[in-house]
Amino acid sequence: MTARRPGRSPRFLAGLAVGLVAVATALSACAAVPPNVPTGDRIRDTVPTGVDFGTAIEGGRTSRALDDPTYVSTVATTFTSVTPENQMKWSIVRPDAASFDFAPADQVADLARRNGQRMRGHTLLWHGGNPSWLTGRSWECSELRPIVKQHVTTLVSRYADVVREWDVANEILDGGANLRTSENPFIAACGIDIVKDAFRWAHEADPKARLFLTDYDVEGVNPKSDAYLALVKDLLAEGVPVHGFGIQAHLDNREGAPGSVQANLQRFADLGLDVAVTELDVKVPLPMAIPSQASLRRQADVYGSVLDACLRVSRCTSFTVWGFTDRYSWVPEYRPGYGSATLMTAEYEAKPALNTIVDRLKQGRR
Ligand code: XIL
């Protein structure tokens, strides 16, 4: 009897078949799933009046994505709003205390102008994305305040034709809902007053712009969003021109979205504010490098639940995803072990989440 060659046993072949089916199944999960719009129609045309559907535009001093024709054409046909991912941050715009480099931000603004899109200005004051000349020393408020005033006035004036909403102050509360008095160089020098001043200077520079406070982990009703509600009430009572509150919504596919997103947005709207979803993505743990169909279906439900919450609050004026293709998502670099956080694969194939978003946009306001 011929010795059986290793690896040819029925058990091995059966195992091989099972493994191949599993891989094929996983790969089919990302198979092209055309978005639910008739061929040739534009997703942006399904967006209901009164709300913008936006995306962050990848880049810093340079942009890989804006050299990618498929990326550029997809942005033009899919979204009514764009947000510079990094191009308006101090580290890009301010080479030093006396100069500005507008080129990267202008590239995003010119894209919006060409596409007839609005832009979300991101962001005037943040503890991240700052240059070393700003963070490498301590500042007297009397020194830094005029620099900040010039920054806010210059940027808001320059982009007044295309920016409708500004993230004036981003992430000013920490995880314990305390003011970031040490990490944020502006608040470290001047306290909360610099935030109030930034809103006033932005309003003077562009009275029609809607001026937002934004943060993460404030999507539902929780101690941090409670703290923002109290802060907004105080600012409004003082006559500070705060017009909006934005939830970033960087979510985890296993945790999903809080059940109180709509209630949370509504309570800020009840103060007379606009509300917005400003940076939605839903990261997926990727032990297998390729998400399962079940993971992608769950991700679609998470995206849909956040858009539902926005569409059910009449003051929700924009719904922005933090990138729309896995090809340029920030997640793999900043959240190792996670990926597949956006609406399309790296090959621009629609995931179930994009179809869910399109279906909800077509249904309109609830
Ligand atoms: C991130 C960008 O996506 C990265 O490219 C950059 O290196 C760091 O900042 N909240 C914000 C965004 O308000 O500005 C951050 O964007 C993500 C978290």
Side-chain angles (χ1 to χ4, degrees):
M1 184 176 114
T2 309
R4 188 187 304 281
R5 280 195 302 162
R8 294 286 184 182
S9 69
R11 177 190 294 264
F12 170 82
L13 293 174
L16 181 62
V18 170
L20 288 173
V21 167
V23 171
T25 302
L27 288 172
S28 69
C30 290
V33 178
N36 293 353
V37 287
T39 305
D41 277 14
R42 307 187 310 172
I43 289 177
R44 65 183 282 180
D45 297 331
T46 68
V47 179
T49 307
V51 64
D52 269 327
F53 176 41
T55 182
I57 299 295
E58 182 271 342
R61 278 192 182 72
T62 59
S63 169
R64 295 169 296 143
L66 292 181
D67 290 334
D68 174 345
T70 307
Y71 182 93
V72 173
S73 61
T74 305
V75 168
T77 57
T78 308
F79 300 99
T80 61
S81 170
V82 293
T83 303
E85 182 178 22
N86 299 295
Q87 297 86 333
M88 279 189 177
K89 292 171 183 173
W90 282 69
S91 57
I92 305 296
V93 178
R94 305 303 302 273
D96 55 55
S99 59
F100 290 79
D101 178 3
F102 297 118
D106 283 353
Q107 191 181 17
V108 181
D110 290 342
L111 174 81
R113 293 178 181 118
R114 278 198 311 276
N115 291 340
Q117 294 160 327
R118 278 171 287 276
M119 195 168 166
R120 297 198 81 259
H122 179 79
T123 173
L124 295 174
L125 296 182
W126 185 37
H127 67 276
N130 292 311
S132 56
W133 65 261
L134 179 64
T135 58
R137 54 160 286 190
S138 62
W139 293 83
E140 291 298 322
C141 188
S142 57
E143 293 176 290
L144 188 56
R145 192 169 179 272
I147 294 171
V148 176
K149 180 172 184 178
Q150 184 192 31
H151 184 84
V152 172
T153 304
T154 302
L155 254 70
V156 175
S157 303
R158 184 178 183 89
Y159 299 108
D161 67 305
V162 64
V163 170
R164 185 177 177 281
E165 298 178 350
W166 273 101
D167 294 345
V168 173
N170 185 38
E171 302 180 11
I172 63 171
L173 301 186
D174 63 19
N178 302 300
L179 194 64
R180 289 184 192 268
T181 49
S182 56
E183 297 162 276
N184 184 308
F186 311 105
I187 297 174
C190 300
I192 189 68
D193 285 351
I194 197 68
V195 172
K196 300 175 186 175
D197 286 338
F199 275 92
R200 294 182 180 114
W201 295 329
H203 188 56
E204 285 165 18
D206 180 4
K208 69 185 185 325
R210 307 298 289 165
L211 307 179
F212 277 67
L213 279 167
T214 52
D215 211 326
Y216 64 88
D217 287 350
V218 292
E219 289 73 31
V221 175
N222 63 38
K224 192 174 179 182
S225 60
D226 289 346
Y228 270 108
L229 197 71
L231 173 61
V232 165
K233 287 176 181 174
D234 291 344
L235 295 175
L236 292 174
E238 213 177 310
V240 176
V242 181
H243 307 128
F245 182 69
I247 61 173
Q248 290 181 9
H250 291 294
L251 302 178
D252 181 307
N253 203 33
R254 292 168 305 180
E255 296 162 10
S260 56
V261 174
Q262 181 181 337
N264 185 43
L265 292 176
Q266 189 59 57
R267 64 180 184 161
F268 284 91
D270 292 344
L271 294 180
L273 263 59
D274 293 338
V275 291
V277 177
T278 62
E279 304 182 15
L280 177 59
D281 51 23
V282 182
K283 67 180 187 287
V284 179
L286 287 181
M288 294 292 290
I290 297 173
S292 67
Q293 282 183 313
S295 292
L296 292 176
R297 275 197 305 271
R298 173 169 176 72
Q299 183 184 54
D301 293 343
V302 178
Y303 268 96
S305 71
V306 178
L307 180 52
D308 280 341
C310 174
L311 293 175
R312 288 183 174 128
V313 177
S314 59
R315 296 295 296 264
C316 187
T317 52
S318 65
F319 176 87
T320 297
V321 294
W322 205 243
F324 64 91
T325 167
D326 295 340
R327 181 179 295 254
Y328 301 109
S329 169
W330 76 305
V331 165
E333 178 186 353
Y334 279 82
R335 303 288 183 267
Y338 289 89
S340 186
T342 71
L343 298 171
M344 292 182 171
T345 70
E347 291 68 43
Y348 296 97
E349 292 166 334
K351 296 178 186 171
L354 179 56
N355 291 325
T356 296
I357 292 291
V358 171
D359 286 345
R360 297 295 206 284
L361 289 173
K362 285 163 43 175
Q363 291 168 25
R365 292 267 189 212
R366 303 305 190 279

